[in-house]
């Protein structure tokens, strides 16, 4: 991360599972990987634009653009939030839906009181996500499961350096499979983060799905308002292969509704079109 002098890219994951034959796409970028020399140093100037007003609350049906929408949110989740305002816990960022503004910076970034595997900007989350993460990490610890914050907030300038490093090293097509374009990264919202087991076992690799931290999160994260944003075999909808480490806060009501309704992706839950590739 630019504030620490460390590179800010996840190593491009090889095969999704042994013998699966799928090249893993990655929306996340941990602090410890170096895809190419160009990706190491982020630009010195970090944009400071923030969204200062909350967009009008809308129902997901009003915000959906798909001509073939998926399941709509459960009526149990009575509260409705904007799907476009980056200050909203329901903002949907994918390969069809960039942040607006693209250089958005959360106004309330804080470092949560949890086990950290990173420092600098990557150790930050917005205040709502941080509070929920503290509760979730504490609950996991109470059950003997070690969980660490492996990558949190990522600024626009960091993503520029990261993405451009991949383009320089492998070309744009490969970069789009390995990295979110600047302004299209969910990490920039402060609503998402990556977890590890605190010891580095299988970090950002397919085998992490079998580690206790990932198993616990998959079974329990919804109780604290989180979902596994890029679930198994839904890459044709989300644009990314399975990332058992990437959690996204949407609030307890919505996360519980998705879990009880068997809805795997935000795109389906909010009735949005699939976003497997950039437009």
């Amino acid at each position: 991360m630019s504030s620490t002098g460390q590179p800010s890219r996840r190593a491009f994951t090889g095969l999704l599972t042994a013998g699966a034959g799928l090249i893993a796409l990655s929306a996340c970028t941990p602090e410890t990987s170096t895809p190419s020399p160009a990706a190491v140093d982020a630009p010195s100037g970090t944009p400071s634009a923030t969204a200062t007003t909350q967009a009008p609350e809308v129902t997901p049906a009003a915000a959906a653009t798909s001509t073939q929408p998926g399941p709509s949110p459960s009526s149990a989740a009575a509260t409705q939030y904007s799907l476009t305002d980056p200050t909203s816990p329901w903002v949907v960022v994918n390969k069809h839906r960039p942040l607006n503004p693209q250089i958005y910076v959360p106004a309330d970034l804080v470092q949560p009181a949890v086990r950290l595997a990173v420092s600098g900007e990557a150790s930050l989350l917005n205040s709502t996500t941080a509070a929920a993460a503290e509760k979730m990490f504490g609950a996991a610890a109470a059950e003997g499961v070690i969980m660490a914050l492996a990558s949190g907030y990522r600024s626009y300038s960091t993503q520029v350096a990261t993405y451009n490093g991949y383009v320089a090293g492998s070309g744009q097509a490969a970069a789009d499979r390995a990295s979110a374009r600047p302004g299209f990264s969910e990490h920039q919202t402060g609503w998402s983060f990556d977890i590890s087991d605190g010891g580095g076992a299988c970090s950002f690799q397919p085998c992490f799905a079998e580690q206790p931290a990932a198993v616990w999160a998959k079974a329990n994260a919804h109780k604290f308002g989180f979902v596994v944003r890029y679930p198994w075999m839904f890459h044709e909808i989300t644009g990314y292969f399975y990332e058992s480490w990437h959690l996204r806060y949407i609030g307890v009501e919505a996360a519980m509704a998705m879990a009880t309704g068997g809805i795997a992706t935000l795109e389906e839950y909010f009735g949005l079109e699939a976003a497997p590739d950039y437009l």
Side-chain angles (χ1 to χ4, degrees):
M1 207 58 66
S2 59
S3 60
T4 63
Q6 297 177 332
S8 299
R9 269 307 311 164
R10 167 179 311 154
F12 182 50
T13 309
L15 293 179
L16 180 63
T17 55
L22 296 175
I23 298 298
L25 305 184
S26 175
C28 303
T29 53
E31 293 297 291
T32 55
S33 305
T34 308
S36 72
V40 174
D41 295 319
S44 57
T46 301
S48 58
T50 60
T52 57
T53 58
Q54 175 75 29
E57 292 186 352
V58 297
T59 64
T65 57
S66 174
T67 57
Q68 296 180 330
S72 60
S74 167
S75 59
T79 304
Q80 306 296 326
Y81 298 100
S82 171
L83 304 186
T84 57
D85 185 343
T87 69
S88 163
W90 284 8
V91 64
V92 179
V93 181
N94 60 29
K95 291 180 177 180
H96 289 187
R97 299 171 64 89
L99 280 164
N100 183 21
Q102 286 194 306
I103 58 173
Y104 170 73
V105 178
D108 60 341
L109 290 171
V110 297
Q111 187 177 91
V114 300
R115 182 187 293 262
L116 299 174
V118 287
S119 60
E121 70 174 27
S123 68
L124 305 178
L125 303 170
N126 70 36
S127 59
T128 302
T129 305
E134 290 172 356
K135 293 179 181 178
M136 184 180 70
F137 280 49
E143 296 185 25
V145 176
I146 297 174
M147 191 178 294
L149 175 61
S151 183
Y153 170 70
R154 189 175 317 122
S155 65
Y156 180 89
S157 62
T158 294
Q159 198 68 27
V160 168
T162 294
Y163 181 78
N164 288 347
Y166 266 88
V167 172
S170 305
Q172 185 169 358
D176 283 342
R177 290 193 297 268
S179 172
R181 292 180 183 178
F184 289 81
S185 173
E186 195 176 66
H187 279 271
Q188 191 180 331
T189 66
W191 293 111
S192 69
F193 58 86
D194 303 325
I195 61 171
S196 72
D197 68 351
C202 289
S203 292
F204 304 103
Q205 299 296 323
C207 58
F208 183 70
E210 300 175 359
Q211 299 303 309
V215 173
W216 191 95
K218 183 178 180 180
N220 296 284
H222 61 281
K223 301 172 186 176
F224 304 89
F226 295 97
V227 296
V228 177
R229 177 65 177 97
Y230 306 117
W232 171 254
M233 296 304 291
F234 281 86
H235 51 280
E236 290 296 334
I237 294 176
T238 67
Y240 298 100
F241 282 108
Y242 185 35
E243 293 187 0
S244 59
W245 52 85
H246 183 102
L247 303 182
R248 163 65 196 274
Y249 183 82
I250 58 171
V252 174
E253 282 186 306
M256 291 289 289
M258 285 183 65
T260 57
I263 302 172
T265 71
L266 297 189
E267 286 78 9
E268 292 171 296
Y269 181 67
F270 292 121
L272 300 173
E273 65 185 4
D277 296 296
Y278 292 102
L279 295 174

